[in-house]
Amino acid sequence: MTQAGWTLVTGGTGFIGSAVLERLKRDGISARGSVRNHKPPLGCFSTPALEAVTDWRPLLNGCDTIIHTAARVHVMQDAASDPLAAYREVNVLATLQLARQAVEIGVKRFVYLSSAKVNGESTLPGRPFRADDAPAPQDAYGISKAEAETALRQLATITGLEVVIIRPPLVYGPGVKANFLRLMQCLRRGLPLPLGAVTRNRRSLVALDNLVDLIVTSTTHRAAANQVLLASDGEDLSTAALIRRLAKAMGVSAHLFPVPVWALAAGARLFGKAAVVARLCDSLQVDSSGTCALLDWHPPITVDEGLRRTARGSRG
């Protein structure tokens, strides 16, 4: 029989889930991770696919807290015939299935890792997203996360389950993949980057260690119950500044040359890469001051320390 009062971390071998699991165990908290693996690593157990019909109840005996990080993540080139339906199956229906069964078992708190994409894709400089802004997701992934949030809040109202929703922007840290890893690879190879003129935008990011600390804090803090928490490092950077500081953390030179933003945008449209350049040139800021005030929480590490840890722990 599983020990009472333990914490489940779904996606226990994922980028964020594995870091959460490691932190909980380091803090002496009884925790287990769930993974889709017939040979799960130590501290995790195997689960069926994350679907609307998955029966979690036999696995949740004694669990009082769930940290739900497993999801169908944002896919740049989605091969699904109906991407929105695919996202909804995992991120909405399967999430609600888990939460409903958690209520049956007696789970007290459900921490849901959402995304800043629920708020939208970009902001005007100096006008960051806030937790009480009306959701404005622009893609299938963001829509599915917004719908999951709504479903969880409705369930909380009906059942008394304490739901905590955390919306991070881009998360970086040891083991980071996708665009951040590709940027590190370009810097490592000394490739010239035409982003030296992208100095007026501002992007919020959150270091993995900062996000994990917020997640763990939200599992027990009384004020976190039924709140939407925006997460960030508390320092927003332009694209050019981020690249320079990342290069410094890696111990390499940033070979930036200035191409006007309008020229980058025009070239991107010509080659069908408008969305990629928009993410590099637009602003996306989140205001995490409400989170800090509500929980009396502050990011434990700075951006520069987060970048150094990323550089040490990633193959860039």
Side-chain angles (χ1 to χ4, degrees):
M1 181 177 294
T2 306
Q3 180 182 354
W6 60 282
T7 297
L8 168 66
V9 181
T10 66
T13 56
F15 175 53
I16 296 172
S18 61
V20 172
L21 199 56
E22 181 180 344
R23 166 65 186 273
L24 290 171
K25 292 183 176 181
R26 191 166 65 243
D27 289 353
I29 298 171
S30 179
R32 300 180 69 194
S34 68
V35 297
R36 284 189 60 193
N37 190 328
H38 293 301
K39 295 182 179 179
L42 185 66
C44 295
F45 58 87
S46 180
T47 60
L50 194 61
E51 296 175 342
V53 295
T54 302
D55 188 359
W56 291 85
R57 288 168 295 188
L59 306 172
L60 296 178
N61 182 40
C63 176
D64 62 10
T65 304
I66 293 176
I67 301 172
H68 188 40
T69 73
R72 187 176 196 269
V73 297
H74 184 59
V75 180
M76 295 302 297
Q77 295 180 336
D78 203 328
S81 58
D82 186 345
L84 181 55
Y87 280 116
R88 280 175 169 156
E89 171 68 24
V90 175
N91 296 348
V92 183
L93 300 179
T95 294
L96 191 56
Q97 170 81 342
L98 172 60
R100 284 171 174 161
Q101 294 182 346
V103 171
E104 293 180 32
I105 296 297
V107 170
K108 299 180 179 65
R109 184 163 290 195
F110 191 98
V111 179
Y112 180 61
L113 190 67
S114 187
S115 169
K117 280 180 166 287
V118 168
N119 291 91
E121 293 293 327
S122 65
T123 57
L124 295 174
R127 296 181 61 181
F129 289 134
R130 304 181 191 280
D132 59 355
D133 287 344
Q138 301 297 308
D139 63 7
Y141 173 74
I143 291 169
S144 71
K145 285 292 189 177
E147 291 177 352
E149 288 186 12
T150 298
L152 288 171
R153 284 197 293 266
Q154 291 173 344
L155 183 68
T157 300
I158 295 170
T159 66
L161 176 69
E162 294 178 349
V163 170
V164 183
I165 294 167
I166 299 178
R167 294 181 192 159
L170 187 150
V171 184
Y172 65 99
V176 69
K177 297 179 181 178
N179 290 337
F180 206 94
L181 177 59
R182 284 190 281 274
L183 174 59
M184 294 177 67
Q185 291 169 339
C186 290
L187 290 171
R188 188 76 70 193
R189 294 168 185 167
L191 299 179
L193 300 171
L195 300 169
V198 190
T199 59
R200 295 187 178 181
N201 71 329
R202 292 295 181 269
R203 307 286 297 190
S204 295
L205 305 95
V206 62
L208 180 61
D209 287 336
N210 287 339
L211 178 58
V212 168
D213 192 76
L214 176 60
I215 290 171
V216 173
T217 298
S218 73
T219 62
T220 57
H221 201 297
R222 180 176 299 179
N226 303 313
Q227 297 293 325
V228 174
L229 307 176
L230 300 187
S232 81
D233 290 333
E235 180 184 4
D236 301 339
L237 303 176
S238 70
T239 298
L242 170 62
I243 293 171
R244 291 192 177 99
R245 287 167 71 168
L246 176 58
K248 182 178 179 180
M250 295 172 64
V252 300
S253 297
H255 300 286
L256 291 172
F257 62 96
V259 174
V261 173
W262 66 263
L264 288 172
R269 287 193 296 270
L270 183 63
F271 291 99
K273 299 294 184 181
V276 175
V277 170
R279 282 189 292 275
L280 291 168
C281 297
D282 290 350
S283 292
L284 195 160
Q285 295 177 272
V286 302
D287 182 357
S288 59
S289 62
T291 297
C292 295
L294 180 69
L295 305 185
D296 191 23
W297 176 85
H298 300 281
I301 66 172
T302 64
V303 171
D304 289 318
E305 178 58 25
L307 293 174
R308 283 192 290 269
R309 294 183 185 186
T310 303
R312 289 195 301 266
S314 301
R315 297 181 61 185

